[in-house]
Amino acid sequence: MDESAWYACEAATIAVHGRDLATGTVTAILLLDTCGEVAQEIDRDLAKALALRLLDLADDLPEPVRIVRRAADVDEHLRELDD
């Protein structure tokens, strides 16, 4: 699983559809806490406003540090040079 797929999976565990138990109709978006309990129930308009706010806040965060890994054959070649 690549990084973007991991983030999508995590997001799907945080924000889910809330459904009417009798009909199965989607009635809200539920934001879940780390225990899977409903932390917030939001309607369509609030969900859209919240999405925009999250985008604004995310833009203020620094870029994450990325670890650059080299291919295994490069390590082997460097070891051969040491010998």
Side-chain angles (χ1 to χ4, degrees):
M1 175 182 300
D2 68 3
E3 188 177 32
S4 62
W6 183 85
Y7 282 122
C9 185
E10 285 296 300
T13 66
I14 295 169
V16 298
H17 284 134
R19 298 183 181 275
D20 181 289
L21 292 177
T23 65
T25 304
V26 174
T27 58
I29 293 175
L30 306 177
L31 301 179
L32 307 179
D33 64 18
T34 57
C35 296
E37 299 293 324
V38 176
Q40 186 79 34
E41 181 178 330
I42 58 177
D43 65 15
R44 178 186 174 116
D45 292 334
L46 182 55
K48 289 181 176 186
L50 181 59
L52 293 173
R53 177 66 176 145
L54 287 172
L55 287 170
D56 286 343
L57 291 173
D59 286 342
D60 293 339
L61 293 174
E63 287 291 324
V65 175
R66 304 283 185 206
I67 297 174
V68 177
R69 301 193 191 283
R70 61 181 170 236
D73 62 327
V74 172
D75 286 332
E76 291 172 20
H77 179 71
L78 291 173
R79 277 193 286 279
E80 289 172 1
L81 292 176
D82 285 340
D83 293 337

